[in-house]
Amino acid sequence: MAISFAIMFGETKPSGKELLIGLVVPKLSSKTIKQAVGIVGCIIMPHNVFLHSALVQSRKIDTKKKSRVQEAVYYYNIESILALIVSFFINICVTTVFAKGFYGSDKADNIGLENAGQYLQEKYGTALFPVLYIWAIGLLASGQSSTITGTYAGQFVMGGFLNLRLKKWLRAVITRSFAIIPTMIVALFFDTEDPTMDVLNESLNVLQSIQIPFALIPLITLVSSEQLMGSFVVGPITKVISWIVTIFLMLINGYLILSFYTNEVRGAVVRSSLCVVLAVYLAFIIYLILRNTTLYSRLRSSVSKSS
């Protein structure tokens, strides 16, 4: 898929200068915020943050030797960075190909997962370059990858966070069922040609973006703890950049929710319910940030004394 879209990327001949400016200083209209947030959610995926952390435990390392741990961290960083670079490259190519080929045209409003391959075939396909089938294989591979990573993340959560010790086959059945059964229901009982499916897919990506802070904030807190990490605690520059990224994600999520609330939500009951959900979301994020801090300890002790 990377090779195919790299070829199409070359055929579109995009402006390198505009592409670089767009990467460094992206310009978005208010109408495209939802799509931008959805892209963030589908690329980062909160469960993958857990998965990348949990995969460190799959390495058989003598943790008593600092040099061995440093070596493992070094190679693990290389592995993760290479995977992210390939993913980043593919996403740039896909986005550029669609933007250059269809932006501003009458076809742009009609393109979805159901017919995107057909549009690509008409625009770039030849007898020797079956774009339609390459797109289909790419979607299948993407779906398999997402299902596998989601399943693995679920297994690590069950085995670690929830401390559930089940037989491997039973744990695999449970976690795979959570991933596959809803997908099978949608595939069998819903009309895939209906544009509502694209809206559903976009909404799921947006929900993933909203969940990212719940994965990033505990992770940043843990790796910033010298008591927990020892000499492997992250440096101040990494810590600051991580918090900036997390706060930025929270801001765009908040902006999207506010925009959705003002433009699309109707009715006092629905608006009140959304306000409650938003308040719980913000309260839990604040709790994650303040947890294990001096301020949190003082508040907790004062509440205990008053009760």
Side-chain angles (χ1 to χ4, degrees):
M1 192 174 183
I3 295 172
S4 302
F5 273 91
I7 294 172
M8 284 186 281
F9 179 87
E11 289 185 4
T12 60
K13 295 180 175 62
S15 170
K17 179 181 178 181
E18 291 184 5
L19 181 61
L20 184 61
I21 293 173
L23 288 173
V24 178
V25 188
K27 297 178 182 178
L28 300 172
S29 67
S30 58
K31 296 180 181 179
T32 59
I33 294 296
K34 184 177 181 181
Q35 286 78 9
V37 172
I39 289 174
V40 171
C42 73
I43 292 177
I44 298 177
M45 293 192 288
H47 57 273
N48 276 358
V49 177
F50 287 114
L51 184 60
H52 276 275
S53 301
L55 286 176
V56 177
Q57 300 176 2
S58 65
R59 273 65 173 174
K60 294 182 179 180
I61 308 163
D62 186 359
T63 55
K64 296 179 181 179
K65 295 182 179 179
K66 184 179 178 180
S67 60
R68 299 296 294 171
V69 176
Q70 288 177 329
E71 181 185 28
V73 170
Y74 173 75
Y75 284 111
Y76 184 77
N77 284 336
I78 293 177
E79 178 186 352
S80 299
I81 290 170
L82 286 176
L84 291 172
I85 288 175
V86 172
S87 175
F88 183 66
F89 173 76
I90 293 176
N91 279 285
I92 286 179
C93 289
V94 171
T95 305
T96 304
V97 165
F98 276 102
K100 185 72 175 180
F102 305 105
Y103 179 75
S105 67
D106 296 334
K107 299 178 180 180
D109 294 332
N110 301 320
I111 296 178
L113 288 177
E114 175 71 19
N115 55 19
Q118 193 65 48
Y119 278 107
L120 286 173
Q121 179 66 31
E122 294 173 2
K123 184 75 175 180
Y124 304 104
T126 63
L128 299 176
F129 194 56
V131 177
L132 178 62
Y133 298 104
I134 292 170
W135 175 254
I137 293 171
L139 282 182
L140 179 62
S142 176
Q144 288 294 318
S145 175
S146 298
T147 303
I148 290 169
T149 57
T151 301
Y152 274 133
Q155 290 179 194
F156 278 117
V157 168
M158 290 184 67
F161 294 111
L162 302 181
N163 200 28
L164 294 178
R165 303 301 175 186
L166 303 175
K167 294 181 179 179
K168 286 186 177 182
W169 69 267
L170 181 58
R171 188 173 62 183
V173 167
I174 294 173
T175 52
R176 281 165 174 73
S177 297
F178 274 108
I180 294 174
I181 290 177
T183 306
M184 292 294 293
I185 292 173
V186 171
L188 292 174
F189 297 102
F190 289 84
D191 184 7
T192 56
E193 296 182 1
D194 192 333
T196 305
M197 298 304 298
D198 290 319
V199 176
L200 174 62
N201 181 62
E202 186 178 68
S203 299
L204 290 173
N205 290 332
V206 170
L207 286 174
Q208 287 192 118
S209 177
I210 292 175
Q211 294 175 49
I212 290 173
F214 297 103
L216 285 182
I217 291 174
L219 179 62
I220 298 171
T221 303
L222 291 173
V223 297
S224 301
S225 172
E226 189 172 354
Q227 181 181 0
L228 181 66
M229 300 296 295
S231 60
F232 296 98
V233 64
V234 297
I237 297 178
T238 304
K239 190 187 303 184
V240 169
I241 293 175
S242 301
W243 278 115
I244 290 174
V245 171
T246 304
I247 292 171
F248 174 74
L249 286 172
M250 290 163 55
L251 289 176
I252 61 173
N253 287 337
Y255 177 83
L256 179 64
I257 294 173
L258 183 62
S259 176
F260 175 76
Y261 179 82
T262 55
N263 296 328
E264 299 185 33
V265 177
R266 299 289 182 269
V269 176
V270 178
R271 287 197 167 196
S272 300
S273 301
L274 187 60
C275 286
V276 171
V277 172
L278 181 59
V280 172
Y281 171 73
L282 293 175
F284 191 51
I285 286 180
I286 293 172
Y287 165 76
L288 290 174
I289 294 173
L290 296 180
R291 192 171 182 268
N292 294 330
T293 61
T294 304
L295 178 60
Y296 176 80
S297 301
R298 290 178 180 176
L299 290 173
R300 189 173 181 179
S301 60
S302 62
V303 170
S304 300
K305 290 178 181 179
S306 61
S307 59

mmCIF file of all heavy atoms in Angstrom, residues 160-187:
data_model
loop_
_atom_site.group_PDB
_atom_site.id
_atom_site.type_symbol
_atom_site.label_atom_id
_atom_site.label_comp_id
_atom_site.label_asym_id
_atom_site.label_seq_id
_atom_site.Cartn_x
_atom_site.Cartn_y
_atom_site.Cartn_z
ATOM 1 N N GLY A 160 -3.618 -7.031 33.329
ATOM 2 C CA GLY A 160 -2.855 -6.113 34.166
ATOM 3 C C GLY A 160 -3.721 -5.219 35.015
ATOM 4 O O GLY A 160 -3.797 -5.364 36.235
ATOM 5 N N PHE A 161 -4.430 -4.296 34.368
ATOM 6 C CA PHE A 161 -5.215 -3.308 35.115
ATOM 7 C C PHE A 161 -6.317 -3.959 35.940
ATOM 8 O O PHE A 161 -6.549 -3.595 37.079
ATOM 9 C CB PHE A 161 -5.829 -2.287 34.153
ATOM 10 C CG PHE A 161 -4.807 -1.420 33.468
ATOM 11 C CD1 PHE A 161 -4.572 -1.549 32.124
ATOM 12 C CD2 PHE A 161 -4.090 -0.473 34.176
ATOM 13 C CE1 PHE A 161 -3.634 -0.767 31.481
ATOM 14 C CE2 PHE A 161 -3.145 0.306 33.555
ATOM 15 C CZ PHE A 161 -2.911 0.162 32.203
ATOM 16 N N LEU A 162 -7.029 -4.930 35.325
ATOM 17 C CA LEU A 162 -8.142 -5.567 36.030
ATOM 18 C C LEU A 162 -7.701 -6.777 36.840
ATOM 19 O O LEU A 162 -8.485 -7.333 37.600
ATOM 20 C CB LEU A 162 -9.219 -5.990 35.024
ATOM 21 C CG LEU A 162 -9.802 -4.864 34.168
ATOM 22 C CD1 LEU A 162 -10.878 -5.420 33.233
ATOM 23 C CD2 LEU A 162 -10.391 -3.759 35.038
ATOM 24 N N ASN A 163 -6.453 -7.194 36.633
ATOM 25 C CA ASN A 163 -5.885 -8.317 37.380
ATOM 26 C C ASN A 163 -6.722 -9.591 37.227
ATOM 27 O O ASN A 163 -6.914 -10.353 38.172
ATOM 28 C CB ASN A 163 -5.754 -7.966 38.870
ATOM 29 C CG ASN A 163 -4.760 -8.876 39.576
ATOM 30 O OD1 ASN A 163 -3.825 -9.385 38.962
ATOM 31 N ND2 ASN A 163 -4.968 -9.089 40.863
ATOM 32 N N LEU A 164 -7.251 -9.802 36.009
ATOM 33 C CA LEU A 164 -8.018 -10.999 35.723
ATOM 34 C C LEU A 164 -7.087 -12.065 35.164
ATOM 35 O O LEU A 164 -6.479 -11.883 34.112
ATOM 36 C CB LEU A 164 -9.128 -10.705 34.719
ATOM 37 C CG LEU A 164 -10.233 -9.764 35.199
ATOM 38 C CD1 LEU A 164 -11.243 -9.532 34.089
ATOM 39 C CD2 LEU A 164 -10.936 -10.337 36.420
ATOM 40 N N ARG A 165 -6.958 -13.165 35.860
ATOM 41 C CA ARG A 165 -6.072 -14.242 35.437
ATOM 42 C C ARG A 165 -6.916 -15.368 34.851
ATOM 43 O O ARG A 165 -7.419 -16.236 35.574
ATOM 44 C CB ARG A 165 -5.235 -14.741 36.620
ATOM 45 C CG ARG A 165 -4.404 -13.650 37.285
ATOM 46 C CD ARG A 165 -3.447 -13.008 36.294
ATOM 47 N NE ARG A 165 -2.728 -11.882 36.901
ATOM 48 C CZ ARG A 165 -1.930 -11.073 36.232
ATOM 49 N NH1 ARG A 165 -1.764 -11.256 34.933
ATOM 50 N NH2 ARG A 165 -1.312 -10.079 36.831
ATOM 51 N N LEU A 166 -7.113 -15.335 33.553
ATOM 52 C CA LEU A 166 -7.901 -16.355 32.877
ATOM 53 C C LEU A 166 -6.993 -17.178 31.973
ATOM 54 O O LEU A 166 -5.867 -16.789 31.678
ATOM 55 C CB LEU A 166 -9.001 -15.701 32.033
ATOM 56 C CG LEU A 166 -9.979 -14.772 32.768
ATOM 57 C CD1 LEU A 166 -10.911 -14.114 31.754
ATOM 58 C CD2 LEU A 166 -10.784 -15.539 33.804
ATOM 59 N N LYS A 167 -7.518 -18.316 31.541
ATOM 60 C CA LYS A 167 -6.787 -19.105 30.559
ATOM 61 C C LYS A 167 -6.655 -18.298 29.279
ATOM 62 O O LYS A 167 -7.550 -17.541 28.917
ATOM 63 C CB LYS A 167 -7.516 -20.418 30.294
ATOM 64 C CG LYS A 167 -7.542 -21.347 31.501
ATOM 65 C CD LYS A 167 -8.246 -22.651 31.171
ATOM 66 C CE LYS A 167 -8.235 -23.586 32.385
ATOM 67 N NZ LYS A 167 -8.938 -24.864 32.087
ATOM 68 N N LYS A 168 -5.555 -18.487 28.572
ATOM 69 C CA LYS A 168 -5.283 -17.670 27.391
ATOM 70 C C LYS A 168 -6.378 -17.778 26.340
ATOM 71 O O LYS A 168 -6.779 -16.776 25.741
ATOM 72 C CB LYS A 168 -3.933 -18.069 26.785
ATOM 73 C CG LYS A 168 -2.741 -17.592 27.590
ATOM 74 C CD LYS A 168 -1.443 -17.884 26.866
ATOM 75 C CE LYS A 168 -0.251 -17.341 27.650
ATOM 76 N NZ LYS A 168 1.026 -17.583 26.941
ATOM 77 N N TRP A 169 -6.902 -18.982 26.110
ATOM 78 C CA TRP A 169 -7.924 -19.148 25.078
ATOM 79 C C TRP A 169 -9.214 -18.430 25.471
ATOM 80 O O TRP A 169 -9.880 -17.825 24.621
ATOM 81 C CB TRP A 169 -8.199 -20.634 24.821
ATOM 82 C CG TRP A 169 -8.881 -21.356 25.959
ATOM 83 C CD1 TRP A 169 -8.301 -22.039 26.970
ATOM 84 C CD2 TRP A 169 -10.299 -21.441 26.177
ATOM 85 N NE1 TRP A 169 -9.247 -22.555 27.822
ATOM 86 C CE2 TRP A 169 -10.484 -22.205 27.358
ATOM 87 C CE3 TRP A 169 -11.417 -20.962 25.509
ATOM 88 C CZ2 TRP A 169 -11.743 -22.491 27.862
ATOM 89 C CZ3 TRP A 169 -12.681 -21.233 26.012
ATOM 90 C CH2 TRP A 169 -12.832 -21.998 27.179
ATOM 91 N N LEU A 170 -9.564 -18.465 26.792
ATOM 92 C CA LEU A 170 -10.777 -17.805 27.252
ATOM 93 C C LEU A 170 -10.621 -16.287 27.180
ATOM 94 O O LEU A 170 -11.543 -15.573 26.762
ATOM 95 C CB LEU A 170 -11.087 -18.242 28.689
ATOM 96 C CG LEU A 170 -12.354 -17.650 29.313
ATOM 97 C CD1 LEU A 170 -13.575 -17.997 28.487
ATOM 98 C CD2 LEU A 170 -12.516 -18.133 30.752
ATOM 99 N N ARG A 171 -9.448 -15.800 27.570
ATOM 100 C CA ARG A 171 -9.186 -14.363 27.496
ATOM 101 C C ARG A 171 -9.213 -13.882 26.048
ATOM 102 O O ARG A 171 -9.749 -12.823 25.735
ATOM 103 C CB ARG A 171 -7.823 -14.059 28.128
ATOM 104 C CG ARG A 171 -7.525 -12.579 28.283
ATOM 105 C CD ARG A 171 -6.246 -12.380 29.072
ATOM 106 N NE ARG A 171 -5.089 -12.960 28.388
ATOM 107 C CZ ARG A 171 -3.862 -12.967 28.885
ATOM 108 N NH1 ARG A 171 -3.627 -12.488 30.080
ATOM 109 N NH2 ARG A 171 -2.863 -13.501 28.202
ATOM 110 N N ALA A 172 -8.650 -14.701 25.146
ATOM 111 C CA ALA A 172 -8.643 -14.348 23.722
ATOM 112 C C ALA A 172 -10.063 -14.311 23.163
ATOM 113 O O ALA A 172 -10.414 -13.413 22.389
ATOM 114 C CB ALA A 172 -7.788 -15.341 22.939
ATOM 115 N N VAL A 173 -10.892 -15.276 23.549
ATOM 116 C CA VAL A 173 -12.278 -15.320 23.070
ATOM 117 C C VAL A 173 -13.041 -14.079 23.523
ATOM 118 O O VAL A 173 -13.774 -13.459 22.745
ATOM 119 C CB VAL A 173 -12.984 -16.606 23.566
ATOM 120 C CG1 VAL A 173 -14.491 -16.511 23.341
ATOM 121 C CG2 VAL A 173 -12.428 -17.823 22.858
ATOM 122 N N ILE A 174 -12.869 -13.713 24.798
ATOM 123 C CA ILE A 174 -13.593 -12.553 25.334
ATOM 124 C C ILE A 174 -13.169 -11.264 24.638
ATOM 125 O O ILE A 174 -14.000 -10.492 24.169
ATOM 126 C CB ILE A 174 -13.372 -12.448 26.856
ATOM 127 C CG1 ILE A 174 -14.006 -13.639 27.569
ATOM 128 C CG2 ILE A 174 -13.971 -11.144 27.396
ATOM 129 C CD1 ILE A 174 -13.694 -13.704 29.053
ATOM 130 N N THR A 175 -11.863 -11.036 24.557
ATOM 131 C CA THR A 175 -11.379 -9.781 23.971
ATOM 132 C C THR A 175 -11.668 -9.715 22.479
ATOM 133 O O THR A 175 -12.018 -8.650 21.957
ATOM 134 C CB THR A 175 -9.866 -9.631 24.215
ATOM 135 O OG1 THR A 175 -9.192 -10.819 23.778
ATOM 136 C CG2 THR A 175 -9.574 -9.397 25.680
ATOM 137 N N ARG A 176 -11.524 -10.843 21.772
ATOM 138 C CA ARG A 176 -11.822 -10.838 20.341
ATOM 139 C C ARG A 176 -13.313 -10.648 20.086
ATOM 140 O O ARG A 176 -13.710 -10.038 19.084
ATOM 141 C CB ARG A 176 -11.325 -12.136 19.692
ATOM 142 C CG ARG A 176 -9.825 -12.126 19.420
ATOM 143 C CD ARG A 176 -9.294 -13.522 19.136
ATOM 144 N NE ARG A 176 -7.899 -13.524 18.737
ATOM 145 C CZ ARG A 176 -6.867 -13.309 19.521
ATOM 146 N NH1 ARG A 176 -7.089 -13.052 20.802
ATOM 147 N NH2 ARG A 176 -5.629 -13.337 19.078
ATOM 148 N N SER A 177 -14.139 -11.170 20.976
ATOM 149 C CA SER A 177 -15.588 -11.010 20.815
ATOM 150 C C SER A 177 -15.990 -9.545 20.928
ATOM 151 O O SER A 177 -16.846 -9.076 20.167
ATOM 152 C CB SER A 177 -16.329 -11.839 21.872
ATOM 153 O OG SER A 177 -16.064 -13.222 21.698
ATOM 154 N N PHE A 178 -15.372 -8.828 21.859
ATOM 155 C CA PHE A 178 -15.675 -7.406 22.000
ATOM 156 C C PHE A 178 -15.294 -6.629 20.739
ATOM 157 O O PHE A 178 -15.913 -5.621 20.408
ATOM 158 C CB PHE A 178 -14.936 -6.820 23.213
ATOM 159 C CG PHE A 178 -15.674 -6.989 24.502
ATOM 160 C CD1 PHE A 178 -15.224 -7.906 25.451
ATOM 161 C CD2 PHE A 178 -16.813 -6.260 24.776
ATOM 162 C CE1 PHE A 178 -15.908 -8.078 26.652
ATOM 163 C CE2 PHE A 178 -17.505 -6.426 25.974
ATOM 164 C CZ PHE A 178 -17.051 -7.341 26.910
ATOM 165 N N ALA A 179 -14.271 -7.094 20.039
ATOM 166 C CA ALA A 179 -13.823 -6.398 18.831
ATOM 167 C C ALA A 179 -14.606 -6.827 17.595
ATOM 168 O O ALA A 179 -14.941 -5.996 16.744
ATOM 169 C CB ALA A 179 -12.332 -6.652 18.615
ATOM 170 N N ILE A 180 -14.929 -8.112 17.490
ATOM 171 C CA ILE A 180 -15.464 -8.645 16.238
ATOM 172 C C ILE A 180 -16.992 -8.640 16.186
ATOM 173 O O ILE A 180 -17.577 -8.322 15.146
ATOM 174 C CB ILE A 180 -14.931 -10.083 16.017
ATOM 175 C CG1 ILE A 180 -13.413 -10.027 15.788
ATOM 176 C CG2 ILE A 180 -15.607 -10.739 14.831
ATOM 177 C CD1 ILE A 180 -12.761 -11.394 15.706
ATOM 178 N N ILE A 181 -17.663 -8.971 17.297
ATOM 179 C CA ILE A 181 -19.125 -9.114 17.264
ATOM 180 C C ILE A 181 -19.828 -7.821 16.826
ATOM 181 O O ILE A 181 -20.696 -7.853 15.929
ATOM 182 C CB ILE A 181 -19.654 -9.598 18.631
ATOM 183 C CG1 ILE A 181 -19.239 -11.057 18.849
ATOM 184 C CG2 ILE A 181 -21.179 -9.478 18.701
ATOM 185 C CD1 ILE A 181 -19.639 -11.633 20.196
ATOM 186 N N PRO A 182 -19.498 -6.632 17.410
ATOM 187 C CA PRO A 182 -20.158 -5.408 16.918
ATOM 188 C C PRO A 182 -19.899 -5.156 15.436
ATOM 189 O O PRO A 182 -20.791 -4.716 14.701
ATOM 190 C CB PRO A 182 -19.538 -4.307 17.785
ATOM 191 C CG PRO A 182 -19.050 -4.996 19.002
ATOM 192 C CD PRO A 182 -18.598 -6.342 18.541
ATOM 193 N N THR A 183 -18.683 -5.456 14.973
ATOM 194 C CA THR A 183 -18.342 -5.267 13.561
ATOM 195 C C THR A 183 -19.163 -6.199 12.678
ATOM 196 O O THR A 183 -19.657 -5.798 11.614
ATOM 197 C CB THR A 183 -16.846 -5.536 13.335
ATOM 198 O OG1 THR A 183 -16.088 -4.731 14.237
ATOM 199 C CG2 THR A 183 -16.441 -5.194 11.926
ATOM 200 N N MET A 184 -19.327 -7.452 13.094
ATOM 201 C CA MET A 184 -20.115 -8.413 12.323
ATOM 202 C C MET A 184 -21.579 -7.990 12.254
ATOM 203 O O MET A 184 -22.224 -8.122 11.208
ATOM 204 C CB MET A 184 -20.001 -9.801 12.964
ATOM 205 C CG MET A 184 -18.617 -10.419 12.866
ATOM 206 S SD MET A 184 -18.152 -10.786 11.158
ATOM 207 C CE MET A 184 -19.320 -12.073 10.754
ATOM 208 N N ILE A 185 -22.107 -7.461 13.357
ATOM 209 C CA ILE A 185 -23.498 -7.002 13.371
ATOM 210 C C ILE A 185 -23.695 -5.870 12.373
ATOM 211 O O ILE A 185 -24.657 -5.859 11.583
ATOM 212 C CB ILE A 185 -23.897 -6.550 14.788
ATOM 213 C CG1 ILE A 185 -23.935 -7.761 15.734
ATOM 214 C CG2 ILE A 185 -25.254 -5.841 14.777
ATOM 215 C CD1 ILE A 185 -24.162 -7.400 17.182
ATOM 216 N N VAL A 186 -22.773 -4.911 12.382
ATOM 217 C CA VAL A 186 -22.863 -3.781 11.449
ATOM 218 C C VAL A 186 -22.748 -4.274 10.005
ATOM 219 O O VAL A 186 -23.493 -3.845 9.121
ATOM 220 C CB VAL A 186 -21.759 -2.737 11.758
ATOM 221 C CG1 VAL A 186 -21.707 -1.675 10.659
ATOM 222 C CG2 VAL A 186 -22.024 -2.074 13.101
ATOM 223 N N ALA A 187 -21.804 -5.191 9.746
ATOM 224 C CA ALA A 187 -21.577 -5.674 8.381
ATOM 225 C C ALA A 187 -22.771 -6.465 7.848
ATOM 226 O O ALA A 187 -23.095 -6.393 6.658
ATOM 227 C CB ALA A 187 -20.320 -6.535 8.341
#
